[in-house]
């Protein structure tokens, strides 16, 4: 059985769960309407709860007598009488939730009721006179031998006679059916009750939203009165009086009295609250607390002067800045918070750093731009040699900005081999526009917080690179260079930095760029974004779509010589503190230096080699050897730089069967590729070597299938491919190679092998091959032609569809080369044999 403390705990817990909500529609769907209620009921004594017809209530029954009564009732129809016990602490009583808005148990004045009941015939019963017949909806056996039961109220009743108490409480009852007389008075009573209850619910936070919703969905004046009474009733007397009333009008009159009583209680409560609030005004309270704070700080030896000076410094920074309203509010809130924080608090340093960043940012500060295109051209020509097409595209871009007077769409991506001047072009754009310049590299970056910043809750949190750069240059419209964007990394722990760049590099979104540290929107639309990459393959498509692509190809040998004369040699002479008279670079020596020591597409290696020559010259001068150094032949170069890493390619006059020369593109420039084939008598098959990628292996298999399809046309011996095993090899096996552009080269090599005819010398080729023999276009034509000229190749076979690329290549690159445009492999073979 439940002892007193357990029932009290259970009662309080259920009282916190909220008020009971009647669901008459659901109950009526469970109960047959024509089933008569029994004249004799098994009684279920309950403590501290109210139940009306149309309501559902959960009860906890202790093991013993009441649990047995429940089983008996379920066997005989499932209807019992729920009635309040006069002694709520009795052992044989069921525990239920409270339904009063006070959150307290429904209590009665026991002595008064006992005195009144003593005059009646039922004065000796342990129960109150009125109750509610209920049907058992659900029963659950609990682990501690208690029983949980869900009851639904059916009808009021009055106990006529207590028939028995052992083993069950049984009574003869008289049902009190609802008497509804419709009329104007009833309507007025309903409206008055609803109006007062709604007003009461607005002022009383204890009445939940569920109660208000249920109030709207209840049908019938009687059920409505019962529901509102269940919320307002506080003692047993009111509950018993309400159960005794079958007339709906009487119930509504009683309900009005309850509402009036509750309104008076709330009025007294408000009056007490107002009196307390009026005793201490807000100004007196602030004065008292501030004076107390000063005394406490003085006792602790803290000085408020430093803090005030810091706050004044933050405010002074904002004098000439145009902050958005959101930022103004945030800064004021943070300053107000700072004035109340203790210096030993961890929040103190966080607040100081946050205000330092917020006030140091260039809100509305912009450098005056220059749109002088003539000056921009002079700057670009001064800083870079060649790159005619690239300079034209930059000037066109600036012209549009001059006419449009907006920053929308100002995102450029320079793509090209290393050392071709991509980063320095960004600096030149900044100079041409008279803007500040910021650069940071995202190569290998694995943490998106480097872009979007860290949350302030982390130790050592900082804003992202953009906000850091804007604070450093002090303007809101710099040129912002994001270097090596194709080498950005990803990490499971740090997120995806490339995805974080999507918002930053989107003109439609970066007007309200949100840095996690600032937690404020910052307008980045005036920033001129420039990105650089060596290749577009590794850049996510969504990020690539936001950028204007400008390609930079490699330099020719003549361009490298002129760049060395105009830029690199003067720069290194100054850097190494030597004069031009101390080291001489004749044209012949520079040409050898470019061809055999610096063959890459850019000029970075060339500058490094010139720097080595200058350092050796400086060492000679420092040791007393003053005669000038002359870089005029290969012997002098070998003395200064050692053996050349790219010796001149030997011109092979001997024709070799199965050997073909192809042209390849790498991210460092063009290269010449030799493909070799051999046959071995055996079981047949096709072998590939040379560290080939998947695409290149597929191209080799296509070439093998194409040549094998020509077996009848070539009149090869029967079962040739079953008898001989063919082996195709691409030298430099340690270097990974991939791509489809060597397709026709591998087909030509295999064709030479099976026909035992050598290819003509001095011919190189590039192009993708299909199974039907069609030659498809490839990329990197300029770099491939430069590689062909370095190797003294005179004739180049290229796909016919690449003819448009030839028109865009400078005449200097094409000079000395003969081009053969082919559309099918058969045309290639006619030119090669």
């Amino acid at each position: 059985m439940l002892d007193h403390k357990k029932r009290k705990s259970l009662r309080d817990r259920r009282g916190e769960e909220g008020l009971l909500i009647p669901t008459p529609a659901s109950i009526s769907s469970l109960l047959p309407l024509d089933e008569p209620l029994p004249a004799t009921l098994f009684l279920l004594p309950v403590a501290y709860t109210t139940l009306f017809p149309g309501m559902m209530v959960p009860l906890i029954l202790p093991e013993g007598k009441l649990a047995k009564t429940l089983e008996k009732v379920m066997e005989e129809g499932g209807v019992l009488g729920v009635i309040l016990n006069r002694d709520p602490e009795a052992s044989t009583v069921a525990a239920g939730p409270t339904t009063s808005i006070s959150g307290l148990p429904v209590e009665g004045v026991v002595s008064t009721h006992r005195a009144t009941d003593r005059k009646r015939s039922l004065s000796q019963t342990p129960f109150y006179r009125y109750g509610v017949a209920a049907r058992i909806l659900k029963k659950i056996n609990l682990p501690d031998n208690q029983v949980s039961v869900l009851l639904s109220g059916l009808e009021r009743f009055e106990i006529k006679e207590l028939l028995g108490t052992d083993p069950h409480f049984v009574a003869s009852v008289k049902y009190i059916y609802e008497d509804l007389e419709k009329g104007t008075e009833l309507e007025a009573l309903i409206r008055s009750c609803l109006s007062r209850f709604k007003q009461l619910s607005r002022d009383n936070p204890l009445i939940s939203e569920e109660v208000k919703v249920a109030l709207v969905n209840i049908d019938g004046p009687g059920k409505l009165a019962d529901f509102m009474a269940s919320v307002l009733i506080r003692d047993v007397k009111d509950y018993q009086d309400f159960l005794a009333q079958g007339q709906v009008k009487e119930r509504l009159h009683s309900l009005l009295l309850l509402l009036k009583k509750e309104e008076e209680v709330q009025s007294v409560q408000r009056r007490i609250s107002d009196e307390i609030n009026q005793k201490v005004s807000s100004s007196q309270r602030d004065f008292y607390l501030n004076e107390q704070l000063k005394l406490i700080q003085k006792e602790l030896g803290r000085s408020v002067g430093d803090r005030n000076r810091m706050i004044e410094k933050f405010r002074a920074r904002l004098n000439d800045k145009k902050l958005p309203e959101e930022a103004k509010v945030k800064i004021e809130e943070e300053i107000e918070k700072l004035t109340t924080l203790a210096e030993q608090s961890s929040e103190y340093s966080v607040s100081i750093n946050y205000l330092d960043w917020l006030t140091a940012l260039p809100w509305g500060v912009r450098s005056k731009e220059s749109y002088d295109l003539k000056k921009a051209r002079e700057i670009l020509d001064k800083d870079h040699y060649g790159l005619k097409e690239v300079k034209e595209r930059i000037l066109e871009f600036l012209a549009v900005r001059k006419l449009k007077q907006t920053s929308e769409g100002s995102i450029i991506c320079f793509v090209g081999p290393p050392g071709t001047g991509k980063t320095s072009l960004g600096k030149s754009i900044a100079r041409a526009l008279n803007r500040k310049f910021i650069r940071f590299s995202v190569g290998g970056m694995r943490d998106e917080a480097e872009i979007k910043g860290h949350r302030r809750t982390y130790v050592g949190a900082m804003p992202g690179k953009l906000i850091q750069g804007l604070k450093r240059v002090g303007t809101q419209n710099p040129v912002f260079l994001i270097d090596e964007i194709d080498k950005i990394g990803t990490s499971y722990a740090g997120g995806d930095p490339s995805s974080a760049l999507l918002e930053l590099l989107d003109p439609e979104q970066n007007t309200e760029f949100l840095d996690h540290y600032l937690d404020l929107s910052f307008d980045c639309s005036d920033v001129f974004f420039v990105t650089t990459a060596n290749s577009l393959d590794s850049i996510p498509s969504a990020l690539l779509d936001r950028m204007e692509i400008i390609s930079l190809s490699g330099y020719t040998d003549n361009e490298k010589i002129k760049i060395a004369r105009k830029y690199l040699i003067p720069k290194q002479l100054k850097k190494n503190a030597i004069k031009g008279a101390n080291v001489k670079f004749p044209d012949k020596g520079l040409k050898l230096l470019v061809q055999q020591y610096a063959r890459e597409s850019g000029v970075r290696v060339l500058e490094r080699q010139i720097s080595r020559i200058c350092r050796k010259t400086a060492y000679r001068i420092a040791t007393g050897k003053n005669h000038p150094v002359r870089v005029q032949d290969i012997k002098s170069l070998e003395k200064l730089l050692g053996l050349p890493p790219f010796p001149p390619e030997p011109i092979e006059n001997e024709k070799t069967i199965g050997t073909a020369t192809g042209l390849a593109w790498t991210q460092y420039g063009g290269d010449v590729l030799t493909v070799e084939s051999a046959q071995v008598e055996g079981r047949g098959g096709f072998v590939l070597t040379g560290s080939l990628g998947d695409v290149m292996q597929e191209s080799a298999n296509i070439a093998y299938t194409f040549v094998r399809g020509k077996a009848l046309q070539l009149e090869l011996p029967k079962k040739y491919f079953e008898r001989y095993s063919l082996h195709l090899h691409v030298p430099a096996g340690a270097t990974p190679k991939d791509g489809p552009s060597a397709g026709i080269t591998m087909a030509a090599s295999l064709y030479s092998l099976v026909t035992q005819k050598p290819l003509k010398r001095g011919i190189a080729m590039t192009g993708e091959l299909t199974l039907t023999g069609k030659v498809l276009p490839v990329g990197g034509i300029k770099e491939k032609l430069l590689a062909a000229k370095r190797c003294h190749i005179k004739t180049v076979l290229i796909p016919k569809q690449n003819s448009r690329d030839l028109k865009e290549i400078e005449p200097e690159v094409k000079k000395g080369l003969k081009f053969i445009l082919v559309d099918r492999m058969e045309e290639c073979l006619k030119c090669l044999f």
Side-chain angles (χ1 to χ4, degrees):
M1 293 187 184
L2 284 174
D3 58 17
H4 169 66
K5 292 184 179 180
K6 287 184 178 179
R7 285 199 303 272
K8 185 73 167 63
S9 173
L10 178 63
R11 186 170 62 244
D12 292 344
R13 186 170 66 251
R14 291 186 172 276
E16 293 171 358
E17 294 174 353
L19 302 175
L20 299 176
I21 300 174
T23 54
S26 60
I27 296 174
S28 61
S29 63
L30 295 171
L31 301 175
L33 298 177
D34 57 348
E35 181 179 344
L37 294 174
T40 302
L41 289 177
F42 289 88
L43 299 182
L44 183 65
V46 180
Y48 308 117
T49 192
T50 58
L51 175 65
F52 288 98
M55 293 179 59
M56 288 189 296
V57 63
L59 297 176
I60 301 294
L61 278 62
E63 61 178 334
K65 185 173 183 177
L66 294 186
K68 294 178 181 179
T69 299
L70 187 67
E71 294 177 1
K72 181 72 173 175
V73 171
M74 293 184 69
E75 293 174 1
E76 298 186 7
V79 178
L80 49 74
V82 179
I83 196 158
L84 285 179
N85 199 304
R86 292 183 183 275
D87 183 8
E89 306 302 330
S91 59
T92 55
V93 73
T98 177
T99 57
S100 82
I101 60 173
S102 63
L104 299 174
V106 178
E107 297 178 351
V109 185
V110 178
S111 59
T112 303
H113 277 274
R114 282 177 179 172
T116 304
D117 290 343
R118 204 171 285 122
K119 300 177 182 178
R120 303 177 183 177
S121 61
L122 298 176
S123 59
Q124 302 303 319
T125 61
F127 315 120
Y128 285 98
R129 185 173 181 180
Y130 297 96
V132 176
R135 183 177 292 277
I136 301 170
L137 295 181
K138 191 172 184 180
K139 173 196 169 208
I140 300 175
N141 294 322
L142 301 180
D144 54 354
N145 296 326
Q146 297 185 78
V147 177
S148 174
V149 62
L150 180 64
L151 304 177
S152 66
L154 299 178
E155 201 61 69
R156 291 168 162 80
F157 69 82
E158 177 185 3
I159 297 178
K160 295 171 61 179
E161 182 180 3
L162 188 63
L163 302 179
T165 59
D166 191 37
H168 308 291
F169 297 111
V170 183
S172 172
V173 300
K174 173 186 176 182
Y175 292 101
I176 304 172
Y177 293 99
E178 184 174 285
D179 186 5
L180 179 63
E181 295 180 5
K182 295 184 179 179
T184 306
E185 183 183 359
L186 179 67
E187 184 68 23
L189 287 170
I190 293 173
R191 290 187 182 184
S192 180
C193 290
L194 283 173
S195 175
R196 291 196 172 194
F197 188 88
K198 288 178 181 178
Q199 180 62 38
L200 191 68
S201 65
R202 282 194 293 268
D203 299 335
N204 195 328
L206 294 174
I207 299 179
S208 65
E209 289 297 326
E210 289 83 359
V211 172
K212 300 174 185 177
V213 172
L215 187 67
V216 178
N217 294 285
I218 295 176
D219 295 327
K223 291 186 176 65
L224 195 64
D226 290 344
F227 172 70
M228 288 188 280
S230 69
V231 176
L232 299 171
I233 284 176
R234 299 189 179 194
D235 57 38
V236 173
K237 180 179 182 304
D238 291 337
Y239 178 53
Q240 289 294 301
D241 291 342
F242 217 81
L243 284 181
Q245 294 169 351
Q247 286 281 346
V248 176
K249 288 183 182 180
E250 293 179 6
R251 273 189 246 167
L252 292 172
H253 280 291
S254 300
L255 183 60
L256 284 173
L257 293 175
L258 292 173
L259 288 167
K260 180 64 176 176
K261 186 189 299 183
E262 191 63 33
E263 287 172 356
E264 291 175 355
V265 171
Q266 286 195 1
S267 177
V268 173
Q269 183 180 356
R270 283 194 300 269
R271 180 171 54 81
I272 294 172
S273 179
D274 292 339
E275 288 175 356
I276 293 173
N277 291 334
Q278 289 174 0
K279 288 182 180 179
V280 181
S281 65
S282 59
S283 59
Q284 291 174 330
R285 178 177 178 273
D286 292 342
F287 175 79
Y288 173 76
L289 291 177
N290 285 327
E291 290 297 316
Q292 193 176 39
L293 181 61
K294 290 178 183 178
L295 290 173
I296 293 172
Q297 289 175 339
K298 184 177 180 180
E299 289 295 326
L300 293 175
R302 298 176 187 168
S303 174
V304 296
D306 294 340
R307 184 180 309 197
N308 291 336
R309 282 193 295 271
M310 194 177 300
I311 293 174
E312 288 301 320
K313 181 185 74 172
F314 291 151
R315 293 190 186 278
R317 287 180 180 177
L318 304 175
N319 288 338
D320 300 327
K321 297 178 180 179
K322 299 178 182 178
L323 279 76
E325 192 62 31
E326 181 187 15
K328 289 181 181 178
V329 173
K330 189 70 175 178
I331 290 174
E332 288 301 324
E333 289 178 352
E334 201 66 27
I335 288 177
E336 185 178 348
K337 174 184 174 183
L338 181 63
T339 58
T340 61
L341 288 174
E343 294 183 8
Q344 287 77 14
S345 171
S346 60
E347 285 288 322
Y348 183 79
S349 60
V350 173
S351 184
I352 290 289
N353 292 334
Y354 184 52
L355 281 170
D356 183 53
W357 277 103
L358 281 182
T359 55
L361 287 177
W363 300 97
V365 179
R366 292 172 174 82
S367 55
K368 187 176 180 180
E369 290 188 273
S370 170
Y371 290 108
D372 188 343
L373 298 181
K374 182 179 179 182
K375 180 183 177 183
R377 182 182 289 276
E378 291 174 357
I379 291 174
L380 291 174
D381 289 338
K382 182 180 178 180
D383 293 347
H384 298 85
Y385 179 83
L387 302 177
K388 180 179 178 182
E389 181 184 353
V390 175
K391 292 177 181 177
E392 288 297 328
R393 293 187 70 177
I394 293 174
L395 290 171
E396 291 168 2
F397 205 85
L398 298 181
V400 172
R401 287 179 53 78
K402 179 179 180 179
L403 296 176
K404 202 172 182 181
Q405 293 293 325
T406 65
S407 303
E408 182 180 353
S410 53
I411 299 170
I412 295 177
C413 180
F414 292 125
V415 181
T420 51
K422 299 183 293 297
T423 303
S424 58
L425 275 172
K427 296 180 180 177
S428 299
I429 292 174
R431 286 184 57 205
L433 287 173
N434 192 33
R435 289 189 176 200
K436 299 291 183 67
F437 180 75
I438 314 170
R439 173 196 169 273
F440 86 98
S441 176
V442 295
M445 182 181 290
R446 295 179 177 271
D447 189 358
E448 71 170 285
E450 294 288 333
I451 307 293
K452 300 274 286 182
H454 303 80
R455 300 286 182 188
R456 294 200 306 277
T457 53
Y458 297 115
V459 177
M462 291 184 69
K465 293 293 185 183
L466 173 67
I467 300 299
Q468 293 180 35
L470 293 176
K471 178 188 175 183
R472 188 166 63 249
V473 298
T475 63
Q476 200 169 340
N477 62 337
V479 173
F480 194 82
L481 178 71
I482 303 176
D483 219 353
E484 309 293 349
I485 199 171
D486 58 325
K487 299 176 182 63
I488 195 167
T490 57
S491 170
Y492 176 77
D496 185 4
S498 63
S499 298
L501 284 174
L502 294 179
E503 180 187 1
L504 185 61
L505 298 183
D506 192 341
E508 299 296 329
Q509 300 181 42
N510 60 16
T511 55
E512 295 183 351
F513 176 71
L514 184 65
D515 186 275
H516 290 158
Y517 181 83
L518 297 184
D519 200 23
L520 286 171
S521 297
F522 194 90
D523 186 1
C524 301
S525 59
D526 285 340
V527 180
F528 193 120
F529 289 101
V530 179
T531 63
T532 68
N534 296 129
S535 173
L536 299 177
D537 298 336
S538 58
I539 302 177
S541 58
L543 189 58
L544 193 63
D545 183 61
R546 287 162 165 78
M547 300 182 290
E548 172 86 12
I549 306 300
I550 298 180
S551 298
L552 282 75
S553 55
Y555 295 109
T556 64
D557 290 350
N558 289 336
E559 286 176 333
K560 288 183 180 180
I561 292 171
K562 292 178 180 177
I563 291 171
R565 285 254 182 248
K566 190 174 180 180
Y567 302 100
L568 305 182
I569 293 175
K571 177 182 176 182
Q572 292 302 323
L573 290 175
K574 182 179 179 181
K575 185 177 180 180
N576 292 280
I578 59 176
K579 299 179 180 179
N582 299 124
V583 57
K584 301 292 184 179
F585 289 93
D587 288 343
K588 181 181 178 182
L590 266 180
K591 188 172 183 180
L592 289 171
L593 179 64
V594 168
Q595 291 179 345
Q596 299 190 32
Y597 287 87
R599 193 177 283 184
E600 87 292 352
S601 297
V603 293
R604 192 169 286 137
V605 175
L606 176 60
E607 183 178 9
R608 195 178 301 128
Q609 299 293 7
I610 293 173
S611 177
R612 289 180 63 190
I613 294 173
C614 291
R615 288 198 303 271
K616 290 182 181 295
T617 303
Y619 177 76
R620 291 170 61 87
I621 295 172
T623 54
K625 300 176 182 179
N626 295 324
H627 58 276
V629 175
R630 294 185 63 85
V631 183
Q632 58 185 358
D633 52 22
I634 191 64
K635 185 177 180 181
S636 60
L637 283 171
E638 289 181 356
K639 187 176 180 180
L640 291 167
L641 303 176
L643 295 175
F646 306 102
E649 299 284 344
I651 302 175
E652 297 183 7
N653 295 320
E654 182 182 354
K655 297 180 179 179
T656 306
I657 294 173
T659 302
T661 303
L663 299 174
W665 177 92
T666 69
Q667 61 176 344
Y668 303 105
D671 199 3
V672 174
L673 204 65
T674 302
V675 178
E676 301 174 345
S677 298
Q679 62 182 17
V680 180
E681 190 171 357
R683 298 172 55 186
F686 185 47
V687 180
L688 295 172
T689 54
S691 187
L692 309 182
D694 293 339
V695 177
M696 202 165 184
Q697 291 183 32
E698 292 173 359
S699 297
N701 287 320
I702 291 172
Y704 176 73
T705 303
F706 175 81
V707 172
R708 190 166 182 175
K710 298 288 183 180
L712 293 176
Q713 183 180 342
L714 298 175
E715 298 180 356
L716 296 176
K718 291 184 178 181
K719 297 186 179 180
Y720 172 83
F721 291 98
E722 287 78 10
R723 180 181 175 185
Y724 292 98
S725 173
L726 303 188
H727 187 165
L728 187 142
H729 175 67
V730 183
T735 304
K737 312 168 193 69
D738 205 0
S741 63
I744 64 172
T745 308
M746 291 187 284
S749 173
L750 292 172
Y751 190 89
S752 171
L753 176 66
V754 298
T755 58
Q756 292 296 301
K757 296 179 182 179
L759 280 76
K760 295 177 182 178
R761 295 292 89 192
I763 299 180
M765 66 202 81
T766 182
E768 181 181 352
L769 179 64
T770 68
L771 283 172
T772 59
K774 188 171 180 61
V775 180
L776 300 181
V778 293
I781 295 297
K782 180 179 178 180
E783 287 78 7
K784 292 175 180 178
L785 296 184
L786 291 173
K789 293 188 72 173
R790 285 198 302 266
C791 296
H792 310 290
I793 292 171
K794 302 298 183 183
T795 305
V796 179
L797 272 67
I798 63 174
K800 194 172 185 178
Q801 296 182 45
N802 282 117
S803 58
R804 59 182 180 180
D805 296 313
L806 286 177
K807 297 177 182 178
E808 298 177 357
I809 297 175
E810 298 86 346
E812 182 185 352
V813 178
K814 297 184 285 186
K815 186 178 179 180
L817 292 175
K818 178 184 177 182
F819 301 100
I820 301 176
L821 304 178
V822 293
D823 192 46
R824 294 195 58 80
M825 189 63 204
E826 289 81 3
E827 300 175 23
C828 297
L829 297 177
K830 288 180 182 179
C831 300
L832 294 172
F833 297 96

